[in-house]
Amino acid sequence: MKAADLVNEIHTLNPYKQYGKVTRVVGLTIESKGPRTSVGELCFIYPEGGSKPVLAEVVGFKDKYVQLMPLRHTVDISPGSLVEGAGKPLQVKSGTGLIGKVIDGTGQPLDGSKLPDGLVPVPTEAEPPNPLLRPRINEPLSLGIKAVDGLLTMGKGQRIGIFAGSGVGKSTILSMLTRHSEADVNVIALIGERGREVKDFIERDLGEEGMKKSVVVVATSDQPALMRIKGAMTATAVAEYFRDQGKNVNLMMDSVTRFAMAQREIGLAIGEPPTTKGYTPSVFAMLPKLLERSGTSENGTITAFYTVLVDGDDLNEPIADAVRGILDGHFVLDRKLADKGHYPAINVLRSISRVMEDLVDKDHREAAENLRHYLSTYTESEDLINIGAYKKGSSKEIDQAVNMQPKINQFLQQDTTEMQPLADTKNELTAQFGKGE
């Protein structure tokens, strides 16, 4: 740090510390009288038993009382416990030394080790890039999945939602994306996951090779709601750091729904009115603030994949609907396809990539449209075909769709260990579906 920067930092330091005292704990919130602070700042709560201080964040005010939300479990906190204002919001440290590490929502190694030297502090909450300074997405990104590269072509810096019910294969899709990724760095956020799944994902899905260029941020379902929110914010901040270094980053977050549920918990706890399905207004204010931070910038790109859990496979539930309106496209994973053993279970007719038109040439576009047309025609008539009510020769279009169905299934299905470059996928697509019959 330069001498001028040190002088400026010294001038910003407050020589006084602000203190307050806990008055009561109500549900998830801790109320204290003092200290003088503002929303978003950190505080340390010192239990009277002398145990380790609890880190908390100011989430609101009620009359003359400060409302705090803990980042750790509130053990040993009692009326009169001392509250010290930190005078700043949460910052985490990022840098190349973080690659290969598994950290929690506050940026600390999950295995209890120390952070390596050479990391720089970054704020967990930051403004999205200026929309006028964002470069357009014009470079295709090979994901190695034929159904995606062929029919839902993505670009570097695109943000995609993966919509799925439970047990339909979103973790499988994420593992394929991680293994076959062309990105310089993967930042993977496991938000609200089962504790068992964390090690499974790291050792089985990522593997040793995947971890060599990945940072994993973990906030499990048993942790306080604020920690789950900070997990998503921390992962985004780490990805932003690498993007600012000129790198192409893949950010994968599983799941945005649990982030929204955590914010709902906090909103209800501090007295916000519940709206659709109990979600508070702050949930729908927080979603664009989080999701708009990824994407392109003047320096690099963050290609983001956000999984969204849809209750009862209802794509119109509030969080799915809000996320779909913000992102640059979505993949819908279909339970019917998964039940048939069709993997990846992407329903290409209900999925979309909003930037594909700008990324592919005419031949690729026409072949993709032809495949979609055959698949749509077959899907509309599938019930009649299955029960034998359709007679061959009644419709030329349906006959073509029936004849093409084996080729379509062969193209759309892929083993999880199989990877195919974008150029090969395009050649296969145009060779089989490039000319309408």
Side-chain angles (χ1 to χ4, degrees):
M1 188 179 285
K2 295 179 181 178
D5 293 333
L6 283 171
V7 171
N8 290 334
E9 190 162 331
I10 289 170
H11 283 306
T12 61
L13 292 174
N14 187 349
Y16 301 100
K17 288 189 174 182
Q18 302 286 338
Y19 291 97
K21 284 190 176 182
V22 171
T23 55
R24 65 174 183 163
V25 177
V26 184
L28 302 176
T29 58
I30 301 166
E31 284 191 3
S32 71
K33 194 168 185 180
R36 180 177 294 177
T37 184
S38 58
V39 172
E41 286 190 12
L42 292 179
C43 291
F44 295 96
I45 304 173
Y46 295 90
E48 292 185 348
S51 55
K52 191 176 178 181
V54 175
L55 192 61
E57 184 178 286
V58 179
V59 293
F61 303 96
K62 190 174 183 180
D63 298 327
K64 296 180 181 179
Y65 297 98
V66 179
Q67 291 186 308
L68 301 159
M69 190 72 65
L71 283 156
R72 308 287 184 197
H73 293 295
T74 54
V75 181
D76 296 334
I77 291 177
S78 58
S81 294
L82 193 66
V83 182
E84 178 189 344
K88 60 182 181 181
L90 178 67
Q91 286 190 327
V92 296
K93 291 187 174 181
S94 186
T96 53
L98 211 57
I99 295 174
K101 298 283 185 184
V102 182
I103 59 176
D104 65 13
T106 61
Q108 296 301 311
L110 207 61
D111 60 5
S113 63
K114 290 185 178 180
L115 287 170
D117 296 330
L119 303 182
V120 297
V122 291
T124 57
E125 299 196 28
E127 291 296 319
N130 186 318
L132 293 180
L133 300 179
R134 282 184 187 264
R136 293 186 64 194
I137 300 169
N138 52 25
E139 187 178 351
L141 176 69
S142 176
L143 298 177
I145 303 174
K146 294 190 293 181
V148 175
D149 289 346
L151 304 178
L152 305 162
T153 312
M154 285 188 60
K156 291 182 179 178
Q158 189 173 351
R159 300 161 306 145
I160 282 284
I162 301 175
F163 294 77
S166 56
V168 184
K170 58 182 170 43
S171 296
T172 305
I173 287 277
L174 286 182
S175 66
M176 291 176 74
L177 295 172
T178 305
R179 284 199 299 270
H180 308 325
S181 163
E182 289 182 342
D184 301 315
V185 181
N186 294 317
V187 180
I188 302 157
L190 303 178
I191 308 301
E193 285 294 318
R194 306 174 190 90
R196 173 190 61 79
E197 291 184 344
V198 174
K199 203 163 186 180
D200 283 352
F201 184 85
I202 292 169
E203 294 184 356
R204 182 191 63 201
D205 297 331
L206 263 183
E208 191 175 338
E209 284 300 312
M211 277 301 293
K212 285 181 181 177
K213 62 173 185 177
S214 300
V215 180
V216 181
V217 183
V218 174
T220 51
S221 58
D222 62 296
Q223 293 181 316
L226 189 60
M227 183 63 99
R228 282 174 266 150
I229 288 175
K230 290 304 177 188
M233 296 294 188
T234 294
T236 306
V238 171
E240 286 172 330
Y241 169 84
F242 289 113
R243 178 178 63 185
D244 291 343
Q245 305 305 306
K247 297 185 183 299
N248 293 317
V249 185
N250 270 6
L251 171 63
M252 303 175 193
M253 190 174 296
D254 185 16
S255 69
V256 172
T257 307
R258 293 193 177 109
F259 167 85
M261 288 177 174
Q263 181 58 35
R264 177 173 64 180
E265 284 182 41
I266 292 174
L268 292 172
I270 63 176
E272 277 191 81
T275 55
T276 313
K277 283 201 173 180
Y279 288 103
T280 57
S282 63
V283 173
F284 301 101
M286 288 280 282
L287 282 173
K289 286 183 180 178
L290 174 71
L291 303 178
E292 286 288 352
R293 288 170 62 181
S294 53
T296 60
S297 78
E298 297 172 286
N299 302 313
T301 65
I302 298 175
T303 305
F305 301 89
Y306 300 100
T307 68
V308 181
L309 288 166
V310 285
D311 293 334
D313 298 327
D314 178 15
L315 293 178
N316 294 317
E317 64 95 24
I319 299 304
D321 202 40
V323 170
R324 190 167 57 239
I326 298 167
L327 299 180
D328 307 318
H330 53 271
F331 304 158
V332 176
L333 303 189
D334 195 319
R335 190 175 299 278
K336 289 181 180 177
L337 292 176
D339 290 343
K340 292 177 183 177
H342 182 295
Y343 285 104
I346 300 173
N347 186 326
V348 295
L349 297 178
R350 301 178 71 187
S351 306
I352 190 172
S353 169
R354 300 188 198 279
V355 301
M356 180 175 174
E357 290 288 317
D358 300 326
L359 301 174
V360 300
D361 57 30
K362 184 180 178 182
D363 291 341
H364 187 156
R365 188 184 308 114
E366 286 182 352
E369 287 173 356
N370 287 339
L371 190 153
R372 282 178 177 272
H373 177 70
Y374 291 135
L375 185 58
S376 175
T377 303
Y378 182 84
T379 303
E380 288 174 1
S381 309
E382 187 173 13
D383 289 342
L384 292 176
I385 296 167
N386 288 340
I387 65 173
Y390 173 74
K391 292 183 179 180
K392 188 175 182 181
S394 301
S395 167
K396 185 180 178 182
E397 279 196 355
I398 296 177
D399 288 345
Q400 287 177 336
V402 171
N403 292 335
M404 297 299 288
Q405 192 61 22
K407 288 184 179 180
I408 292 172
N409 285 332
Q410 185 181 6
F411 182 82
L412 295 180
Q413 293 184 58
Q414 184 174 340
D415 190 80
T416 56
T417 58
E418 182 187 348
M419 183 269 184
Q420 183 161 300
L422 176 60
D424 293 351
T425 297
K426 178 195 167 184
N427 292 337
E428 183 180 343
L429 181 70
T430 52
Q432 295 190 5
F433 306 99
K435 295 181 180 180
E437 297 178 15

